[in-house]
Amino acid sequence: MLDKNQIAQRIAQEVRDGYYVNLGIGIPTLVANFVRDDIQVEFQSENGILGMGPFPIKGEEDADLINAGKQTITALKGASYFDSATSFSMIRGQHVDLTILGAMEVSQNGDIANWKIPGKMVKGMGGAMDLVASAENIIVAMMHTNRAGHSKLLKQCSLPLTGVHCVKKIVSNLAVLEIANGKFKLLERAPGVSVSEIQEATLGDLIIEGEIPEMTF
Amino acid sequence: MIDKTVANVQQACRGVEDGMTFMLGGFGLCGIPENAIAELVRLDVKKVTCISNNAGVDDFGLGLLLQKRQIKKMISSYVGENAEFERQMLSGELEVELIPQGTLAQRCLAAQSGVPAFYTPAGYGTEVGEGKESREFNGKMHLLEHAFKAQFSFVKAWKGDTAGNLIFKGTARNFNPNMCGAAKITVAEVEELVPSGELDPNQIHIPGIFVQRIFQGAEYQKRIEQRTVREPQTK
């Protein structure tokens, strides 16, 4: 079973040379720590920066330089700043190559729910609806089950949706899966996790074809 | 050059009344019009609608207007980190319309550029799309979204000149340029106001035509919401 850092490490393998990448809050943010040093990648934060760098060294924080999680950041050499409408032109216009975000639920037809739990405080969708509606390549980073042990990979989402038919790939603490013909297709197992354990943790329809390899790091 | 300067924030906010709709720039507490917000609190205008990506924190930003119950309705994309907001929303005192962030920015831009409405895929198939006109383009469904209508835009820039030309800094730019010229009156506050002619025309982000009033703000706090740092040797 993977921890949050290992999920991020596995997702980092999906990041290719020359990609512009938008990282959501939570596990996706950790992906930046694991991207290979020998490829060129630029991180976009939808509040208005391309070429986002690591957190600043203490004493160098700048109130005018934050990411979409409102954390202080730095800008790498060659970075650019822009307004919010331009930022979402990059997203809506499909200029961003890869979007990585978290989810509360994903359904087997690629629907995603990650912004609202009825009856609880609703904080808002931020940029998530724009991102999932427009991105061509979306990877979801998530735990396979919730704290009560219930599957988060479902036939149909029960929570209010963020977007429909948009998720392409999922990396969970148990497996790598893709959405194929309205079903979850199992691609890889986490080290030490069996196919039957994944089957048991998946409420949606699961396609298992042939031998399922273990993830490599 | 047409002089857009006003002497102070009091003059900049002249004409503000109860029940109006305001646009306010900023993302979190980054790039918010601190001086205008303080003046709106002092004026005690009531029942206002605020179009702003976020709603501040309890003791700063739009949270200050919430504390005095001046806001009737918030139109935002994300409103976490504010206990008073939550209380007013749950008790029904405060009306809240949550909309996708890109749609929020584009509705500002549409108002600025005289486009009454536009189609976007964001929110299709979700509760954001309920009751909205939808249409297929290139095999994909889109929602019709309308330009905002507001009486005042309050924006904050880094530098400005007396002609109303503006330059923003870092990610404090965010919604500020999109809200310029998107309301009947745009009030720009800047950290440094210079005579027209002193800014390089090549470097101007927003031309003065989109700004009606400009003043140099006082005592910027520029609070940091999430102070995150790393050890010197780490990546």
Side-chain angles (χ1 to χ4, degrees), chain B residues 145-179:
Chain B
E145 297 282 1
H146 292 81
F148 283 125
K149 285 195 177 76
Q151 279 79 39
F152 279 86
S153 267
F154 296 102
V155 304
K156 191 255 168 185
W158 179 37
K159 290 181 183 175
D161 68 14
T162 52
N165 297 308
L166 302 177
I167 295 174
F168 302 88
K169 182 163 170 270
T171 56
R173 192 181 315 190
N174 57 63
F175 289 85
N176 285 299
N178 306 137
M179 290 178 172

Side-chain angles (χ1 to χ4, degrees), chain A residues 55-56 61 63-64 66 70-72 81 83-85 88 92 116 121 123-127 130 133 161-162, chain B residues 54 77-79 86 100-103 120 122 126-127 140 169 171 173-175 178 222 226-230:
Chain A
F55 295 147
E61 309 96 290
D64 291 329
I66 62 168
K70 287 136 193 153
Q71 297 170 310
T72 46
Y81 304 120
D83 63 78
S84 299
F88 283 90
R92 207 185 298 106
K116 182 177 184 179
M121 174 57 186
K123 296 197 173 199
M125 67 291 280
D130 307 272
L161 295 178
T162 309
Chain B
N54 313 93
S77 87
Y78 191 84
V79 291
E86 183 170 354
Q101 195 178 134
T103 300
T120 175
T126 76
E127 61 188 58
K140 188 168 175 169
K169 182 163 170 270
T171 56
R173 192 181 315 190
N174 57 63
F175 289 85
N178 306 137
K222 301 216 287 183
Q226 305 278 343
R227 188 178 297 273
T228 44
V229 295
R230 79 189 137 117

Side-chain angles (χ1 to χ4, degrees), chain B residues 6-209:
Chain B
V6 290
N8 50 41
V9 67
Q10 287 79 23
Q11 285 192 24
C13 292
R14 259 180 38 203
V16 162
E17 288 174 19
D18 290 356
M20 281 186 166
T21 298
F22 303 145
M23 291 180 158
L24 299 108
F27 185 97
L29 299 178
C30 182
I32 58 172
E34 293 185 18
N35 284 260
I37 290 170
E39 179 63 7
L40 293 174
V41 171
R42 197 190 65 84
L43 289 170
D44 202 28
V45 280
K46 301 280 195 195
K47 296 190 172 129
V48 297
T49 296
C50 292
I51 299 164
S52 170
N53 190 56
N54 313 93
V57 294
D58 276 324
D59 63 345
F60 202 53
L62 284 179
L64 298 171
L65 269 75
L66 284 165
Q67 294 287 351
K68 286 185 68 188
R69 304 189 190 175
Q70 294 175 255
I71 303 178
K72 182 187 77 174
K73 181 179 181 182
M74 277 300 309
I75 300 175
S76 305
S77 87
Y78 191 84
V79 291
E81 350 304 351
N82 191 324
E84 178 61 16
F85 185 99
E86 183 170 354
R87 194 198 62 72
Q88 289 184 23
M89 182 172 162
L90 292 174
S91 70
E93 287 168 63
L94 178 68
E95 203 184 322
V96 180
E97 185 181 344
L98 292 169
I99 60 178
Q101 195 178 134
T103 300
L104 179 65
Q106 197 67 24
R107 288 178 69 183
C108 296
L109 195 67
Q112 179 194 67
S113 46
V115 172
F118 58 91
Y119 283 98
T120 175
Y124 176 78
T126 76
E127 61 188 58
V128 165
E130 285 169 17
K132 284 181 186 156
E133 189 181 322
S134 61
R135 190 168 159 181
E136 186 187 314
F137 294 94
N138 308 317
K140 188 168 175 169
M141 293 305 293
H142 293 72
L143 297 175
L144 184 68
E145 297 282 1
H146 292 81
F148 283 125
K149 285 195 177 76
Q151 279 79 39
F152 279 86
S153 267
F154 296 102
V155 304
K156 191 255 168 185
W158 179 37
K159 290 181 183 175
D161 68 14
T162 52
N165 297 308
L166 302 177
I167 295 174
F168 302 88
K169 182 163 170 270
T171 56
R173 192 181 315 190
N174 57 63
F175 289 85
N176 285 299
N178 306 137
M179 290 178 172
C180 288
K184 286 205 176 81
I185 296 172
T186 295
V187 174
E189 57 180 271
V190 296
E191 289 178 53
E192 188 185 350
L193 183 64
V194 300
S196 68
E198 286 197 12
L199 298 178
D200 177 356
N202 288 302
Q203 303 298 327
I204 287 164
H205 295 133
I206 282 291
I209 192 169

